Amino acid sequence: MKKKSLVLIAAIAVVMSFAVGGTLAWLVDRTDPVTNTFTYGDINITLSESAGLDLKMIPGNRITKDPKVTVRADSEACWLFVKIEQSANYSDYLENYVVADGWTALTGTAGVYYREVAATTTDVEFPVLMDNQVSVKTTVTKEMMQAIKDAAVSAPTLTFTAYAVQKDNFADPAMAWAEASR
């Protein structure tokens, strides 16, 4: 009898465990995976000028000079800068140039101009000089020109350099210029 009782108790225990186990249901759910792919941002610029420009100085003449900065397609929003440097004798021979519309002089930094450029999907060109020209002073003399020819005096120069810095994380052009000109 003891054996029957033990079997009966064991059978009841097994049945109870199935009953209790069967009534326990865990709430489970699962999402599809979300994959983040990190790509890169970039800024690409070029500085160019037409080939074959005749930069011969003749008193009173205007000389075509057409430097332009191009922000290339697929560039991020940026602060675009152009630095214009003139030789020490530039103003002896040439009038002050005029910077094209859209450029703003960077306060406290001589010869540096900037503009904000939105992200672009196509190439965007920005001329640097107004009307793409500089003018020779009417006060330039034959003797001044001869001094250049004889190499007693260097020819005047005007040098352009372009820079671009991402717009994100730079609140103003001064901060961006500090990074660009390091």
Side-chain angles (χ1 to χ4, degrees), residues 16-110:
M16 289 298 286
S17 68
F18 285 128
V20 171
T23 62
L24 289 179
W26 299 104
L27 299 177
V28 177
D29 195 7
R30 174 188 238 162
T31 69
D32 290 335
V34 174
T35 302
N36 293 287
T37 302
F38 297 93
T39 62
Y40 64 92
D42 204 359
I43 300 170
N44 290 297
I45 61 171
T46 60
L47 175 64
S48 62
E49 191 162 14
S50 296
L53 294 178
D54 183 8
L55 302 178
K56 190 181 303 178
M57 291 188 297
I58 299 173
N61 275 11
R62 292 184 176 157
I63 300 172
T64 298
K65 182 127 183 65
D66 66 346
K68 58 185 160 274
V69 182
T70 302
V71 177
R72 307 299 279 178
D74 301 320
S75 288
E76 300 298 322
C78 64
W79 293 103
L80 183 62
F81 297 92
V82 65
K83 182 177 183 180
I84 306 172
E85 299 171 282
Q86 45 184 302
S87 61
N89 65 345
Y90 177 88
S91 61
D92 295 340
Y93 292 86
L94 298 151
E95 301 287 341
N96 286 333
Y97 53 83
V98 177
V99 176
D101 290 337
W103 294 97
T104 302
L106 184 62
T107 304
T109 308

Side-chain angles (χ1 to χ4, degrees), residues 57 93 141-156:
M57 291 188 297
Y93 292 86
T141 65
K142 185 173 183 168
E143 290 78 21
M144 292 170 71
M145 297 294 214
Q146 190 63 43
I148 292 172
K149 185 175 179 185
D150 295 341
V153 174
S154 297

